[in-house]
Amino acid sequence: MPHRYSAEEKEFIKNNVKGRSNDELLKMFNDRFVLNLTKSQIAAFKKNNRLSSGLDGRFKPGHIPFNKGKKGLMCGGKETQFKKGQRALNYRPVGSERVSVDGYIEIKVADPGKWRMKHLVLWEEANGPIPKGHCLLFLDGNKLNVSLDNLQLITRSQLVRMNQNGLISTDADLTKTGVIVAVILSKIGERKRNRKGANSI
């Protein structure tokens, strides 16, 4: 679910965007509002609101590189280079969670940097792989409510029927009823196609 920025959050970004990278702005924002937004979400907000940090990543005329004259020292020199086996400062261990740009909770399942949507991992641990042509539906429409009680396996054709007929609700019980209606509509559609095929022979 995309983040809805409050007036205070919007004003904070606008007041602090100048002279700061997306990483710096993101940390300030998450710390200030106790959130877990991603860098791509901050970048998207800046783009949508035509905000610029004023940084272009290039050195200004007359700038003297900090490692000038230090032969063979790149990326800050020997003292700041990664040592063999040393992890990056932003390393996140297996089992860590984050929220994707699309609003899904992702969980890190392996190194290096392998992430999967948490609801898929949870479902497969309890029920095995999701069959081809099927998908999981959040019964209350909340992608952040990742629990087996809130997930239902349906076919993609049933999902299409539900979207077409407005059968997905924020009320889990109503959505369950919508799944039943979608099954009925799918069966009616199949029978009509079968009859049409039989009559054309």
Side-chain angles (χ1 to χ4, degrees):
M1 182 181 295
H3 179 70
R4 292 186 178 181
Y5 295 87
S6 67
E8 183 183 0
E9 290 171 349
K10 292 177 181 178
E11 193 66 22
F12 180 86
I13 294 175
K14 290 175 182 177
N15 290 339
N16 291 281
V17 68
K18 289 297 182 184
R20 290 188 171 90
S21 67
N22 287 347
D23 285 322
E24 291 174 312
L25 185 60
L26 175 65
K27 187 177 188 311
M28 288 178 63
F29 183 87
N30 283 340
D31 288 347
R32 171 68 175 78
F33 296 101
V34 194
L35 292 170
N36 191 30
L37 265 62
T38 63
K39 188 163 70 171
S40 56
Q41 286 175 294
I42 287 290
F45 179 87
K46 287 171 58 179
K47 182 178 179 181
N48 293 336
N49 291 273
R50 297 181 179 179
L51 299 175
S52 173
S53 65
L55 302 175
D56 59 11
R58 292 179 293 185
F59 290 126
K60 301 292 183 290
H63 173 82
I64 300 175
F66 61 87
N67 59 349
K68 183 178 181 180
K70 298 180 181 180
K71 187 175 181 181
L73 298 184
M74 302 296 290
C75 300
K78 193 172 185 179
E79 62 277 7
T80 58
Q81 289 179 331
F82 284 118
K83 298 176 176 61
K84 189 174 182 179
Q86 182 181 359
R87 287 171 172 163
L89 294 175
N90 62 349
Y91 171 79
R92 301 182 71 176
V94 173
S96 297
E97 296 182 4
R98 68 184 183 187
V99 178
S100 71
V101 177
D102 296 323
Y104 292 98
I105 296 177
E106 294 180 326
I107 186 168
K108 188 173 183 180
V109 295
D111 282 321
K114 185 175 181 181
W115 297 78
R116 291 194 68 206
M117 287 187 281
K118 185 177 179 179
H119 66 284
L120 298 180
V121 174
L122 183 69
W123 177 271
E124 290 177 358
E125 285 177 352
N127 303 286
I130 296 173
K132 187 176 181 181
H134 289 67
C135 60
L136 292 178
L137 177 68
F138 290 88
L139 292 172
D140 66 357
N142 183 3
K143 298 174 185 176
L144 300 180
N145 183 7
V146 180
S147 67
L148 290 175
D149 291 339
N150 193 43
L151 298 173
Q152 181 156 341
L153 184 71
I154 61 173
T155 66
R156 294 198 174 275
S157 61
Q158 288 167 357
L159 180 61
V160 170
R161 294 278 183 184
M162 295 185 75
N163 283 324
Q164 288 174 340
N165 295 278
L167 298 174
I168 299 175
S169 171
T170 55
D171 185 313
D173 290 330
L174 288 178
T175 303
K176 287 178 183 178
T177 303
V179 172
I180 296 171
V181 173
V183 171
I184 295 171
L185 291 175
S186 294
K187 287 183 177 179
I188 291 173
E190 286 176 12
R191 288 185 179 181
K192 285 183 178 179
R193 286 193 296 273
N194 290 337
R195 285 177 185 173
K196 189 175 181 180
N199 292 334
S200 64
I201 295 176

